[in-house]
Amino acid sequence: MALSTSAVVLLAVVLVVMIRSRSIKAGPATIAVLFGFFLAGTGANEPIRETVASLSQRTSQL
């Protein structure tokens, strides 16, 4: 739960910065889609959450 809350807050901050700087392109659009999935809690949320958790675990092991 802490990871998903942190991810939502981080993605929200990144999205706001990108919108304010008017740099919404393919990469920022992906961030916006991920932000939407975390907020919406759709059926696709669980696989995305697992992927992000896996990536954060791998990153912390580096």
Side-chain angles (χ1 to χ4, degrees), residues 2-22:
L3 176 65
S4 64
T5 302
S6 299
V8 169
V9 171
L10 176 64
L11 290 172
V13 169
V14 170
L15 183 60
V16 167
V17 168
M18 289 179 186
I19 290 171
R20 290 182 57 91
S21 68
R22 299 175 192 231

Side-chain angles (χ1 to χ4, degrees), residues 19-56:
I19 290 171
R20 290 182 57 91
S21 68
R22 299 175 192 231
S23 65
I24 297 293
K25 296 180 183 173
T30 303
I31 300 276
V33 169
L34 288 173
F35 179 71
F37 273 116
F38 276 109
L39 285 179
T42 64
N45 186 16
E46 193 59 35
I48 292 171
R49 185 182 306 227
E50 291 172 2
T51 302
V52 171
S54 174
L55 289 173
S56 69

